[in-house]
Amino acid sequence: MTVTAPERVARCRPTGRHIGILLLLSTLVGCGREQSTLNPSGQDAQSIATLFWVMLAGAVVLWLLVNGAFYYMSRVRPGEMNERYARHILIGGGIVLPVVVLTSLLVWGLSLLPDPRQPGDGLVVRVTGEQWWWRVEYWPDGAEAPIVSANELRLPVGQRTEIHLTADRVIHSFWVPALGGKMDMFPGRETMISLAPEKVGTFRGQCAEFCGASHAWMAFAAVVMEPGDFDDWLEAEATDAVPPATEAARRGATVFQEQGCGACHTVRGTDAVGQVGPDLTHVGGRESLGAGRLKVTREDISAWISHTEDLKPEVRMPSYDLAPDALEDLARYLEGLT
Ligand code: CUA
């Protein structure tokens, strides 16, 4: 088929698909370091990143070889080819080379991939996927009851921690890209992944399995701490909630009680013992509110309580239409639960 000059020009113009690809690439710029497999901050993530770079290099080399051969045949030495030479090219380049390269990459890749179920060094964290938040329970070595938290995972650096995973109603997937691979979470079944973070810092975890309307809003912070800091934090996390310190916070605690928040939420040391929603005993000390949705500021707490259904579609917690003063007091109370 011959192509006229105007047709060539038309073919080179950016089409919808080109623009789409450009837009897609530009979104990659937004892949921050806190949630990136290319920012490996744990043993397992390091192996995965190495595998990626070597596979990418292998793919680039093969691509250059194939296209180089193509260019050579079509531009440098076009025309009829000696049959014996052509057979060598076909068998060598088309069968032997890919089999050797792909087999060696496969064997090497399989040997490198971390065992996601390596036993840990003692600490076990049980994480349950809910719609759409994370129930988190810490079981230190020898503990008889868990220390309950939510929507945040804290880990000691330099140790391997077992994360035991399950789910409430639908399948979710636990994933902290900077620390390791992902693992599915099933209702009625327990899976396990262990992580060995190597850098102190805050990383972002995200549910990686579609689980309903607010799947994209199911995130959490994975905070990696020095072992001593972690022990101090865990000890503080195990305590009951601090009593409200100001008059406004005390009024907020009354609002919390009157509105029946305790039917769904637990604030240890108070009458609130609900198990439906996240434990709020130390909610004021967390990195995020609503499972990565908002910050834990008074403004965001107020926004969350009054607009849950807008901020997280189909969430089970209804939006509360409180008087502005009551909402402010309630936010002060929750902010103070550090
Ligand atoms: Cu939970 Cu997607």
Side-chain angles (χ1 to χ4, degrees):
M1 190 181 76
T2 53
V3 180
T4 62
E7 274 174 351
R8 271 178 208 249
V9 173
R11 285 185 182 188
C12 291
R13 282 214 189 101
T15 62
R17 187 159 26 142
H18 290 130
I19 293 168
I21 290 171
L22 272 178
L23 282 176
L24 197 67
L25 284 174
S26 67
T27 61
L28 289 177
V29 178
C31 292
R33 295 176 60 76
E34 60 166 17
Q35 187 185 316
S36 173
T37 46
L38 302 182
N39 173 33
S41 303
Q43 274 175 23
D44 312 78
Q46 185 60 61
S47 309
I48 294 169
T50 306
L51 181 70
F52 168 75
W53 287 116
V54 173
M55 288 288 181
L56 183 67
V60 168
V61 169
L62 275 183
W63 187 86
L64 287 175
L65 278 176
V66 170
N67 283 283
F70 182 64
Y71 184 80
Y72 181 77
M73 302 296 175
S74 62
R75 296 295 162 101
V76 182
R77 276 193 53 188
E80 288 238 341
M81 195 183 282
N82 164 339
E83 200 176 305
R84 195 154 157 253
Y85 183 57
R87 195 180 300 126
H88 280 149
I89 293 274
L90 273 178
I91 294 174
I95 300 174
V96 178
L97 183 72
V99 167
V100 169
V101 172
L102 293 179
T103 307
S104 40
L105 276 180
L106 177 70
V107 170
W108 174 79
L110 288 176
S111 74
L112 178 83
L113 268 192
D115 172 10
R117 297 180 191 81
Q118 284 176 67
D121 293 324
L123 174 68
V124 169
V125 186
R126 191 179 155 87
V127 181
T128 308
E130 308 271 347
Q131 275 172 314
W132 291 269
W133 60 280
W134 313 81
R135 193 185 293 273
V136 181
E137 296 161 314
Y138 295 84
W139 293 84
D141 217 357
E144 281 174 8
I147 297 160
V148 180
S149 184
N151 295 333
E152 188 168 288
L153 176 69
R154 299 222 173 204
L155 297 172
V157 72
Q159 293 176 25
R160 186 164 282 279
T161 300
E162 287 182 16
I163 324 271
H164 292 211
L165 304 165
T166 186
D168 179 31
R169 284 140 53 115
V170 299
I171 299 176
H172 304 268
S173 182
F174 174 93
W175 192 28
V176 187
L179 297 184
K182 56 181 90 155
M183 184 62 73
D184 280 351
M185 316 166 84
F186 305 94
R189 214 183 111 184
E190 192 172 276
T191 49
M192 193 272 262
I193 187 169
S194 68
L195 296 175
E198 289 177 314
K199 286 184 205 161
V200 169
T202 301
F203 308 98
R204 192 173 188 273
Q206 167 68 40
C207 179
E209 178 81 40
F210 181 71
C211 53
S214 283
H215 155 70
W217 295 123
M218 186 170 172
F220 63 97
V223 184
V224 178
M225 311 170 85
E226 292 294 347
D229 295 343
F230 174 80
D231 291 343
D232 293 346
W233 173 82
L234 193 60
E235 203 176 306
E237 191 70 8
T239 58
D240 285 349
V242 288
T246 64
E247 195 49 49
R250 270 188 285 278
R251 288 196 302 266
T254 310
V255 175
F256 188 89
Q257 206 176 12
E258 286 171 356
Q259 293 294 327
C261 306
C264 290
H265 297 284
T266 291
V267 178
R268 286 195 305 275
T270 73
D271 295 339
V273 291
Q275 294 295 318
V276 179
D279 184 295
L280 299 179
T281 307
H282 298 290
V283 67
R286 291 188 194 140
E287 294 281 322
S288 77
L289 186 72
R293 187 66 181 91
L294 298 172
K295 296 265 176 251
V296 191
T297 61
R298 210 180 308 149
E299 294 72 34
D300 278 9
I301 296 173
S302 300
W304 173 253
I305 294 168
S306 51
H307 295 90
T308 44
E309 287 150 330
D310 300 325
L311 289 162
K312 196 169 274 206
E314 294 185 18
V315 71
R316 291 172 82 182
M317 175 169 159
S319 303
Y320 281 78
D321 191 13
L322 301 174
D325 288 351
L327 185 62
E328 170 85 12
D329 290 343
L330 181 53
R332 279 179 193 273
Y333 168 60
L334 293 170
E335 187 190 30
L337 294 177
T338 53

